[in-house]
Amino acid sequence: MSKKYDFENLSQSDIQELIMGKINKDKDKVVHKWEKEGIVVEKARWGRHHIIKGKTKIELPSSVDAESLTLQAVIDLLEKNKGSKVAKKRTTAKK
């Protein structure tokens, strides 16, 4: 949480600033977006990138230049990794 804001007493301008900050952060995260195909390449942590299509999420190593990926190359990677889905974290029930 940001210590810049008093979240108990936000002004309208603070709220707008926080919303715009989040929107800009999300925009900066996207490297490629092919809307028609429903495919997004976005920045991940530690120099890696993700290819996302629906529930399929493929992590690319930092050695891959995501900026230079073409739509066809991304489609080929998706086909190659078909069946790989986003892993859901399992929580164990505490007794």
Side-chain angles (χ1 to χ4, degrees):
M1 282 234 178
S2 175
K3 294 181 181 184
K4 181 179 175 183
Y5 300 100
D6 174 13
F7 287 99
E8 298 295 322
N9 302 303
L10 287 173
S11 68
Q12 188 65 31
S13 65
D14 289 341
I15 293 169
Q16 288 175 336
E17 186 176 325
L18 286 166
I19 291 170
M20 291 309 295
K22 174 65 174 155
I23 290 170
N24 288 335
K25 185 177 177 183
D26 289 346
K27 280 183 188 176
D28 292 342
K29 198 175 184 182
V30 175
V31 177
H32 296 290
K33 186 172 187 175
W34 293 284
E35 299 226 10
K36 182 179 174 189
E37 291 80 8
I39 300 172
V40 177
V41 178
E42 65 181 24
K43 295 176 186 175
R45 298 174 86 183
W46 300 295
R48 294 175 295 184
H49 291 81
H50 291 142
I51 298 173
I52 302 168
K53 181 177 182 181
K55 291 186 177 183
T56 302
K57 184 176 188 179
I58 300 170
E59 185 174 295
L60 300 173
S62 56
S63 60
V64 174
D65 181 14
E67 298 281 335
S68 65
L69 286 174
T70 63
L71 175 59
Q72 189 57 50
V74 170
I75 290 172
D76 292 344
L77 285 168
L78 285 165
E79 286 296 318
K80 181 178 158 187
N81 292 292
K82 204 169 204 147
S84 127
K85 301 284 182 196
V86 177
K88 292 183 180 178
K89 289 186 179 179
R90 293 182 183 204
T91 58
T92 56
K94 293 185 179 184
K95 295 181 180 181

